[in-house]
Amino acid sequence: MTELRVRVTQDSASRWRRRGGEYATLREALEVAEPGDTLTVRAGTFREAVLVDKAVTLVAEQGPGSVRISAPESAVRGGTALTLTAAATVRGLTVEGSDRSAPAVLLAGADGAVLADCRVETSSAVGVELADGARARLSNCTVENPAGLGVRLRGRSRAELLDCEVAAAGQSGVAVLGGSELRAERLRVHGAGGAGVLLAEPGTVAELVGCEVYEVRGSGVQAEAQAVGRLSDCTVHRVTGNGLSLDGGAELELVSCRVHEVPENAADLRGGAKLTLRQVTVQGFGRGALSVWDGGTRVLAEGCRFHSAQGDYPALWVSDGAALELADCALDDLPDALFVLDQGSSATARDCSFTGIRSSAVSVSGGASATLSGCRVQGAGTGLWFRDHGSGGLLTDCEIAEVATGVIVTKGADPVLRGCTVRGASEAGVYVSAQGRGEFEDVRVSQGGGFGFHVIDGCRTRLIRCRAERNARAGFEFSEPGPVAEGCTSDDAAPLPPAAPAIPAAVPAPAAPAAPPLAGLVAAVQTSSSGPAAAVIGPIPDCRPAEVALAELDALVGLATVKQEVRTLIDLISVGRARQRAGLKAPSPRRHLVFTGSPGTGKTTVARLYGEILASLGVLQRGHLVEVARLDLVGEHIGSTAIRTAAAFDRSRGGVLFIDEAYALAPEDGGRDFGREAIDTLVKLMEDHRDEVVVIVAGYTAEMERFLAANPGLSSRFSRTVSFPDYSAEELLEIARAQAAEHEYRLDGATEEALRVHFTGIDRSAGFGNGRTARQVFETMIERHASRVAHLPSPTTEDLQLLVPADLPS
């Protein structure tokens, strides 16, 4: 008796039919089934080619793996074990195939077939194929096909893969072709003999979310012929080819993805392809992180990190007219970071960091160009190298630190640098040779082991308002005529001699004496049609002498103890530098300060003058003041506070970071408040960059004590606390007098006495603003004076200047 292994359960809407029951084969059961019926299949192997052309459900009675479908070699449909041409659902079946000219599973219906909890174990041309125009969803399915493709979409088909796995494939794991569309979530592709995911042909679109491609013998993701793909939260690793390969105008976008352990390039682009990377981490690559070739090929990377190269190749390679744009990216632990080659090739980097680069951070050659703004290079052999004729670019507000050579310009290269700094180069800060050119404007070189600016071979380099200080050999070294320097300064330059009196035209000028050596002092004479014009390197003039800034400090009203504290600090620093110049050990006093006191007592003004004085002494590069508060440092989510704090600290490099109301970073009931993250970040930055920034924290006395106790290492970073007392009534009157004199008003005796009485009786509770209050009173007096004088028929000069007691606020 034939075993009955398939039970057909009728849909409730078709109860009038009495053709349900049990059948020996799937073919027999499918012949009697109607749309909506369920076919429950008992455990066993069905050696038949199954065609499902009705919207029915096939389910394994004992769960996934208990039922196998294996097409016989003589099958009519060319060895395809399972064909779905309707909106059917197949659940828990295992499909086997062996025809290397046909797919094991063919989904050909346009109404949306479903495979769930199925396995395809086959040696076929394709494991699962979607025919032209088909629609299907695969959920929790596994495909193993060591003889061919894993999953293939053809001819504008559309598929959704959820929690699926392609565990083995002789060719590509998943191929999306012919204008098809794929959406995959949590897809795993491994053990493929070709690309993990292949996208090809115009109109093809794929979206991958939370997917993983690994251990494939080819590229992780390959896109070509104008296909488009988007990957979110995906990982590509341990492949034998490139992590990503793009060609023929294809486009890929990766968001929050990871590409690592790749022996070739993490991404290789050619033929006008386009790649967008956002918050992507790339590491452990054998050749390059990004290899970008050909005109029209473009890469945009935002918020990405490229690090830990395994080979000796440049991490980012741009050539043959390609273009690369980086924004807020980090490159670290690399042999070379960015190479831009060939005419028409370009690279743009904004707010990027290059750290731990063993050779060149940026190299530009063959007529290429690089544009960098707000970038930082720290720890490299060469910061930037412009190598030959036609190579150049524009660098603005960039910082290069702790390198062998900061900037090299050779063989006709001609970059422009503006507002950049080079610090701590062991050799030259800027080196120009072999007909290199370049324009350097407002560039500062400091703390170098060699020359600050070293120009040889008569190169026609132009230096505008450049500054060199604390360089071991000399600030400027020009070996022969050629360079032009305008308004440049160096801390080793002698004061410029006074200008000689003009000689009347009728009197012959005396012969000029022999020129002194040029090294370190005088730029080469540049001959032009208008005659020779010597450009002289002068002493650093752009900071007022310390005496002038101290005189302004002394001129402030009151603050006697504050002035004494600041003078003591300045004396310590000045004597320490003198001892250092004399070859003696010099103390390294901590320059960070705590300012305590009420608002309006002059804390910001004193901080500004303190920075200016330190800059004039050469302790700080710029001496500028960056004023911030909690709002500028604390972010809205985890991690953003550290980024904001670091950004404020970076803006303060070479100057003073003034944190007003710093106690707000450590509220009494803070709990998990992000302000403490700002404090922790600040403590580390103060330690790592102790010689670059002076930090001053300010606020009320009691609250600042709580702030200093918020981090064990915080109080030790500050050398002392400076207390700012409230202004007395007499000092407030003196401020009002100064305001009147500055604005050309006059106070008579009666008005001054009225002001003294007003300031004596003023409310000094929480709203009292000290000096700010005095200024507000003066502004009110001006307004009341204007209202009064406007009604005079013919006011005199005396009327226009004199403030009377009636002008005081009531």
Side-chain angles (χ1 to χ4, degrees):
M1 180 176 179
T2 303
E3 182 182 0
L4 302 178
R5 298 188 295 171
V6 184
R7 183 175 67 254
V8 177
T9 304
Q10 296 178 356
D11 179 79
S12 59
S14 58
R15 288 292 182 185
W16 61 272
R17 292 185 296 109
R18 296 300 177 191
R19 299 189 60 189
E22 297 188 354
Y23 301 88
T25 67
L26 286 167
R27 182 181 61 80
E28 293 172 346
L30 287 166
E31 284 180 351
V32 301
E34 295 290 339
D37 287 354
T38 298
L39 283 68
T40 304
V41 187
R42 293 175 182 169
T45 299
F46 290 78
R47 299 192 181 280
E48 54 182 305
V50 177
L51 170 63
V52 183
D53 57 1
K54 304 169 184 176
V56 297
T57 299
L58 275 71
V59 59
E61 183 179 51
Q62 296 181 20
S66 61
V67 176
R68 287 179 175 268
I69 298 176
S70 179
E73 294 183 3
S74 60
V76 176
R77 282 173 294 279
T80 297
L82 176 63
T83 302
L84 278 68
T85 61
T89 298
V90 177
R91 188 180 305 277
L93 274 59
T94 298
V95 181
E96 298 177 348
S98 59
D99 189 338
R100 300 200 176 189
S101 64
V105 176
L106 177 62
L107 307 176
D111 298 325
V114 176
L115 292 184
D117 304 319
C118 294
R119 290 184 65 88
V120 179
E121 299 174 353
T122 185
S123 292
S124 304
V126 185
V128 177
E129 177 164 284
L130 274 76
D132 294 0
R135 302 289 185 268
R137 176 162 58 88
L138 281 69
S139 176
N140 197 31
C141 293
T142 299
V143 177
E144 295 182 4
N145 182 26
L149 294 165
V151 177
R152 179 166 66 185
L153 281 67
R154 298 174 56 183
R156 300 187 180 278
S157 60
R158 183 180 301 170
E160 186 175 16
L161 275 60
L162 305 176
D163 299 297
C164 293
E165 179 180 13
V166 177
Q171 301 173 32
S172 295
V174 176
V176 187
L177 312 173
S180 298
E181 297 180 17
L182 168 69
R183 176 176 173 81
E185 296 183 15
R186 299 172 298 281
L187 168 68
R188 296 170 60 211
V189 179
H190 58 98
V197 177
L198 172 64
L199 313 176
E201 302 174 5
T204 295
V205 178
E207 182 175 5
L208 281 66
V209 179
C211 300
E212 182 180 14
V213 179
Y214 62 102
E215 295 177 358
V216 302
R217 295 181 298 280
S219 297
V221 177
Q222 181 174 331
E224 56 192 41
Q226 302 179 45
V228 176
R230 188 176 193 273
L231 286 70
S232 301
D233 191 27
C234 294
T235 302
V236 177
H237 62 117
R238 303 204 311 272
V239 301
T240 63
N242 299 314
L244 311 171
S245 291
L246 290 82
D247 202 350
E251 298 184 17
L252 283 183
E253 179 182 5
L254 276 69
V255 178
S256 301
C257 294
R258 298 151 296 280
V259 182
H260 59 92
E261 297 175 77
V262 178
E264 297 294 326
N265 298 304
D268 185 278
L269 290 84
R270 302 165 189 267
K274 293 178 175 59
L275 174 64
T276 301
L277 306 174
R278 293 187 171 91
Q279 288 78 49
V280 172
T281 299
V282 179
Q283 68 182 94
F285 40 89
R287 293 183 68 86
L290 300 176
S291 183
V292 192
W293 305 74
D294 303 334
T297 305
R298 299 284 186 270
V299 174
L300 168 63
E302 297 179 339
C304 299
R305 185 185 179 198
F306 307 92
H307 69 103
S308 305
Q310 299 301 305
D312 296 322
Y313 300 90
L316 309 183
W317 177 279
V318 185
S319 68
D320 297 280
L324 168 67
E325 182 178 351
L326 305 172
D328 194 25
C329 292
L331 297 91
D332 55 276
D333 189 17
L334 305 169
D336 292 283
L338 171 61
F339 269 41
V340 193
L341 308 90
D342 305 325
Q343 187 171 6
S345 299
S346 65
T348 301
R350 183 179 70 256
D351 299 324
C352 295
S353 65
F354 301 78
T355 308
I357 312 300
R358 294 185 285 280
S359 186
S360 298
V362 178
S363 172
V364 185
S365 62
S369 67
T371 302
L372 281 72
S373 62
C375 293
R376 176 176 173 79
V377 177
Q378 183 167 16
T382 301
L384 300 104
W385 192 342
F386 298 90
R387 294 177 178 264
D388 49 28
H389 181 75
S391 303
L394 173 64
L395 280 73
T396 55
D397 301 319
C398 294
E399 181 177 352
I400 304 165
E402 300 171 18
V403 296
T405 305
V407 181
I408 299 177
V409 182
T410 60
K411 299 180 182 178
D414 194 13
V416 175
L417 281 77
R418 295 192 178 118
C420 299
T421 62
V422 180
R423 177 178 52 80
S426 59
E427 299 173 11
V430 172
Y431 179 72
V432 187
S433 68
Q435 287 73 56
R437 295 177 67 90
E439 179 177 307
F440 298 82
E441 181 178 343
D442 295 313
V443 174
R444 301 189 177 205
V445 179
S446 65
Q447 303 176 44
F451 296 110
F453 295 84
H454 191 188
V455 184
I456 67 172
D457 301 328
C459 293
R460 298 170 66 87
T461 301
R462 190 177 183 197
L463 306 167
I464 305 169
R465 296 185 303 278
C466 292
R467 170 171 166 167
E469 55 186 318
R470 289 184 283 172
N471 293 290
R473 299 188 68 180
F476 292 80
E477 167 70 10
F478 303 153
S479 63
E480 54 192 87
V484 174
E486 303 173 11
C488 296
T489 58
S490 177
D491 61 353
D492 60 359
L496 298 178
I503 301 175
V507 181
L518 297 174
L521 291 178
V522 182
V525 173
Q526 177 64 48
T527 302
S528 67
S529 59
S530 59
V536 179
I537 305 300
I540 294 175
D542 53 345
C543 283
R544 294 185 299 175
E547 293 76 13
V548 176
L550 283 168
E552 183 176 334
L553 177 66
D554 288 336
L556 296 177
V557 174
L559 306 177
T561 58
V562 173
K563 296 171 185 175
Q564 183 57 47
E565 289 277 10
V566 173
R567 278 195 171 274
T568 299
L569 285 168
I570 300 305
D571 290 344
L572 282 171
I573 293 168
S574 299
V575 172
R577 290 182 63 80
R579 286 175 58 85
Q580 192 174 35
R581 287 193 294 269
L584 301 173
K585 289 185 177 181
S588 299
R590 293 186 298 274
R591 303 185 295 267
H592 309 301
L593 302 175
V594 178
F595 284 0
T596 63
S598 303
T601 49
K603 296 186 290 294
T604 304
T605 300
V606 173
R608 175 181 59 79
L609 291 171
Y610 182 56
E612 189 174 349
I613 293 166
L614 293 183
S616 69
L617 295 174
V619 176
L620 292 176
Q621 281 193 356
R622 297 175 58 191
H624 64 296
L625 182 75
V626 175
E627 184 176 1
V628 298
R630 175 189 168 91
L631 181 65
D632 305 298
L633 303 179
V634 176
E636 298 175 353
H637 53 80
I638 295 174
S640 62
T641 294
I643 294 172
R644 286 192 180 187
T645 303
F649 195 91
D650 283 341
R651 293 197 305 273
S652 307
R653 289 183 187 275
V656 175
L657 176 61
F658 182 79
I659 306 176
D660 198 14
E661 297 182 352
Y663 53 83
L665 297 174
E668 287 185 287
D669 56 349
R672 299 177 64 184
D673 183 80
F674 289 147
R676 296 187 182 273
E677 183 182 355
I679 295 173
D680 296 342
T681 302
L682 186 65
V683 168
K684 186 176 188 307
L685 290 170
M686 290 169 69
E687 179 62 28
D688 293 345
H689 307 280
R690 64 182 71 183
D691 295 327
E692 299 178 51
V693 177
V694 167
V695 177
I696 298 177
V697 293
Y700 292 105
T701 302
E703 286 82 350
M704 290 306 295
E705 291 176 357
R706 184 184 71 242
F707 166 76
L708 293 174
N711 181 291
L714 188 59
S715 60
S716 64
R717 299 293 188 274
F718 295 93
S719 61
R720 63 183 65 203
T721 297
V722 180
S723 298
F724 286 68
D726 287 345
Y727 288 113
S728 65
E730 194 62 38
E731 289 169 340
L732 293 173
L733 175 57
E734 190 174 344
I735 292 172
R737 284 197 197 103
Q739 289 282 302
E742 180 182 351
H743 293 86
E744 297 185 341
Y745 285 91
R746 189 169 63 82
L747 307 176
D748 62 10
T751 306
E752 288 195 0
E753 182 58 31
L755 276 169
R756 184 179 290 107
V757 172
H758 178 83
F759 288 136
T760 300
I762 200 168
D763 181 10
R764 291 177 176 261
S765 59
F768 178 58
N770 280 286
R772 193 176 302 122
T773 296
R775 288 188 292 273
Q776 290 170 347
V777 168
F778 174 72
E779 290 167 0
T780 301
M781 292 178 70
I782 290 177
E783 293 171 2
R784 292 170 67 91
H785 167 268
S787 298
R788 177 173 53 81
V789 173
H791 293 87
L792 297 178
S794 299
T796 64
T797 302
E798 175 79 3
D799 294 330
L800 294 171
Q801 288 186 301
L802 184 63
L803 299 175
V804 300
D807 296 328
L808 265 71
S810 55

